[in-house]
């Protein structure tokens, strides 16, 4: 594996996810494709919308906002890096980082652990339509109570890609890894991604799709030039691995594989992307989010822009389906292949790149705003 290529893919996955999130965020709550077309034209939303967000002073923001999906993804990355530097179990450190995210959402600066430097970034101390399940679950944990829920919303899968990015780099360096945080093989990546989602989403379909997503991203990062057939093989391998890791979750895994098999048939259908995606679902639940992302990835494996456009132009949870598609396809094409116009207009672009580089290095480094 070419090391520069690996860095490019890690950046691609993190920035790609943010691009999909920012492209989908303005249309997440429009509720119909017809409504999206009425606002953005015949082809729906095809460019980042930098015009609709208004700053408190009445001036227009020149960047397209990311939503809670990207915010929480960055906190997952911080949690992983803290696990390594502080010798903590990764799941525990990720949970702490999510509590830090919660503080940014409820304005409790005085209660912060201050272990995540991104918590000081003003744009991240801003509510961007956070999921209720994430907020209430983390409040329960923060209050020292045991959490019981049966949510399979997509709040888990939209934030767990960094587990694959971290695992892919650090798998080969056990001598540098603390024993608690060691990731020695792909099973560790799958389990940690499942655990990270399960912190807030306890239905098996709330966390199994995360494990499958990170499994394929991890494999894509190990392949300099993956083909679409490789991607399909990684999906199959991921499914078989999860069957072995979670024998008690046969029913949920069967449901997950059923929807993915349906998607792989729909890719070859002559119907439009909007019609095909409607047959998959709306992406509010994690297995549908992953399924829509797989549809867009397979159909537009060599065309990041088209994949992004397809992933958000539907009546459902556009920012999350865009984010997961970007996380996966970004690990295929790499950062350099993401069109420049998506990067120029993306809020927090330099912060996201900084975090990607830290994941690659395996340590948190000092961030200076707009230094790039
Ligand atoms: Mg969102």
């Amino acid at each position: 594996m070419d090391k520069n290529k690996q860095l490019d893919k890690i950046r691609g996955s993190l920035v790609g996810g943010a691009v999909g999130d920012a492209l989908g965020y303005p249309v997440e709550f429009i509720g119909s494709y017809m409504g999206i077309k009425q606002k953005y034209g015949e082809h729906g939303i095809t460019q980042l919308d930098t015009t609709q967000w208004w700053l408190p002073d009445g001036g227009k923001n020149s960047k397209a906002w990311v939503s809670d999906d990207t915010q929480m993804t960055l906190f997952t990355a911080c949690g992983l890096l803290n696990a390594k530097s502080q010798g903590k179990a990764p799941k525990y450190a990720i949970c702490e980082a999510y509590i830090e995210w919660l503080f940014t959402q409820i304005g409790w600066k005085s209660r912060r652990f201050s272990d995540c430097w991104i918590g000081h970034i003003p744009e991240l101390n801003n509510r961007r339509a956070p999921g209720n399940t994430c907020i209430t679950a983390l409040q329960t944990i923060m209050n020292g109570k045991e959490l019981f829920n049966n949510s399979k919303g997509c709040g888990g899968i939209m934030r767990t890609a960094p587990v694959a990015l971290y695992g892919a780099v650090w798998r080969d360096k056990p001598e540098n890894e603390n024993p608690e945080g060691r990731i020695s093989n792909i099973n560790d990546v799958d389990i940690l991604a499942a655990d990270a989602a399960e912190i807030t989403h306890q239905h098996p379909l709330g966390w199994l799709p995360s494990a499958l997503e990170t499994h394929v991203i991890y494999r894509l990062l190990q392949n300099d030039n993956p083909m679409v057939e490789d991607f399909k093989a990684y999906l199959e391998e991921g499914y078989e691995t999860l069957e072995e890791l979670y024998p008690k979750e046969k029913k949920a895994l069967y449901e997950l594989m059923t929807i993915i098999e349906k998607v792989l048939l729909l890719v070859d259908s002559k119907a439009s992307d909007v019609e095909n995606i409607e047959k998959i679902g709306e992406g509010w639940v994690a297995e549908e989010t992953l399924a829509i992302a797989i549809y867009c990835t397979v159909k537009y494996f060599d065309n990041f822009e088209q994949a992004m456009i397809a992933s958000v132009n539907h009546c459902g949870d556009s920012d999350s389906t865009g984010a997961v598609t970007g996380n996966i396809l970004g690990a295929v094409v790499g950062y350099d292949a993401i069109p420049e116009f998506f990067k120029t207009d993306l809020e927090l672009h330099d912060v996201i790149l900084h975090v990607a580089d830290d994941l690659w290095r395996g340590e948190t480094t000092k961030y200076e705003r707009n230094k790039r």
Side-chain angles (χ1 to χ4, degrees):
M1 180 83 214
D2 179 332
K3 285 288 165 198
N4 290 332
K5 186 86 180 174
Q6 194 173 50
L7 173 60
D8 186 50
K9 282 163 163 268
I10 287 172
R11 288 173 167 179
S13 180
L14 220 54
V15 172
V19 167
D21 179 25
L23 189 65
Y25 187 28
V27 300
E28 178 184 12
F29 298 115
I30 287 182
S32 71
Y33 182 56
M34 188 60 73
I36 296 175
K37 286 207 294 185
Q38 277 169 358
K39 183 162 185 194
Y40 290 101
E42 188 56 27
H43 302 290
I45 187 165
T46 59
Q47 297 276 314
L48 294 179
D49 185 346
T50 59
T51 65
Q52 70 159 0
W53 307 109
W54 290 82
L55 295 172
D57 65 1
K60 274 187 179 175
N61 193 348
S62 62
K63 300 285 181 188
W65 281 10
V66 296
S67 84
D68 60 327
D69 303 45
T70 300
Q71 291 181 337
M72 293 197 81
T73 300
L74 294 175
F75 278 91
T76 302
C78 273
L80 285 160
L81 291 166
N82 288 344
K84 184 167 180 294
S85 63
Q86 298 171 4
K88 289 176 179 164
K91 181 183 177 182
Y92 183 78
I94 290 171
C95 186
E96 278 189 344
Y98 292 160
I99 299 288
E100 294 255 323
W101 170 79
L102 176 68
F103 292 159
T104 67
Q105 302 300 290
I106 58 179
W108 280 14
K109 285 186 185 159
S110 59
R111 291 280 300 273
R112 293 202 46 222
F113 302 133
S114 291
D115 278 346
C116 295
W117 63 272
I118 55 169
H120 298 291
I121 304 285
E123 292 91 331
L124 292 171
N125 282 269
N126 212 323
R127 282 175 87 103
R128 302 285 174 82
N132 281 336
T133 303
C134 286
I135 295 277
T136 54
L138 292 171
Q139 278 174 328
T140 303
I141 294 167
M142 184 180 71
N143 292 330
K145 294 182 186 150
E146 199 162 351
L147 176 71
F148 297 101
N149 74 24
N150 201 28
S151 175
K152 58 172 190 167
C154 64
I157 190 170
M158 55 71 158
R159 66 176 191 236
T160 42
V163 176
L165 313 183
Y166 177 83
V169 177
W170 290 95
R171 186 197 64 146
D172 301 327
K173 299 179 182 170
E175 74 279 5
N176 295 326
E177 190 78 359
N178 71 73
E180 283 282 6
R182 183 170 295 164
I183 290 179
S184 55
N185 58 43
I186 195 165
N187 289 4
D188 294 344
V189 170
D190 296 359
I191 292 167
L192 181 53
D195 286 352
E198 200 258 354
I199 290 170
T200 54
H201 290 70
Q202 296 184 329
H203 188 290
L205 284 171
W207 47 266
L208 285 167
S210 275
L212 189 55
E213 178 214 25
T214 50
H215 187 100
V216 296
I217 293 176
Y218 178 93
R219 283 284 185 238
L220 291 168
L221 290 169
Q222 293 176 317
N223 185 337
D224 278 356
N225 293 299
M227 301 287 134
V228 72
E229 293 311 321
D230 296 323
F231 174 73
K232 289 180 186 173
Y234 299 153
L235 271 178
E236 187 70 34
E237 178 198 79
Y239 177 71
E240 286 166 10
T241 305
L242 294 182
E243 269 187 318
E244 283 167 25
L245 289 175
Y246 302 107
K248 288 183 184 160
E249 306 298 349
K250 273 199 172 66
K251 182 172 172 287
L253 275 168
Y254 178 76
E255 277 183 56
L256 182 58
M257 196 30 80
T258 303
I259 192 168
I260 291 172
E261 281 170 359
K262 180 176 165 183
V263 158
L264 296 177
L265 292 174
L266 281 171
V267 170
D268 296 324
S269 143
K270 293 265 187 292
S272 72
D273 291 331
V274 177
E275 289 170 296
N276 283 333
I277 288 171
E278 259 176 28
K279 288 175 193 151
I280 301 167
E282 297 185 348
W284 300 104
V285 291
E287 76 272 25
E288 290 180 7
T289 314
L290 180 62
I292 293 170
I294 290 170
Y295 172 89
C296 300
T297 299
V298 172
K299 181 143 182 187
Y300 299 109
F301 202 71
D302 298 320
N303 191 332
F304 185 85
E305 184 182 357
Q306 275 308 314
M308 286 292 94
I309 292 169
S311 72
V312 304
N313 279 289
H314 54 80
C315 63
D317 194 352
S318 299
D319 59 335
S320 297
T321 52
V324 175
T325 307
N327 288 143
I328 296 173
L329 204 53
V332 174
V333 302
Y335 173 78
D336 289 348
I338 295 176
E340 210 53 45
F341 50 80
F342 278 150
K343 298 175 199 167
T344 315
D345 290 339
L346 181 65
E347 181 191 45
L348 294 177
H349 179 212
D350 60 332
V351 171
I352 298 163
L353 269 183
H354 189 90
V355 171
D357 291 6
D358 279 357
L359 280 171
W360 183 72
R361 283 188 209 102
E363 62 177 339
T364 303
T365 59
K366 189 170 165 46
Y367 167 75
E368 287 179 65
R369 189 139 207 162
N370 297 323
K371 268 279 176 182
R372 280 176 196 274

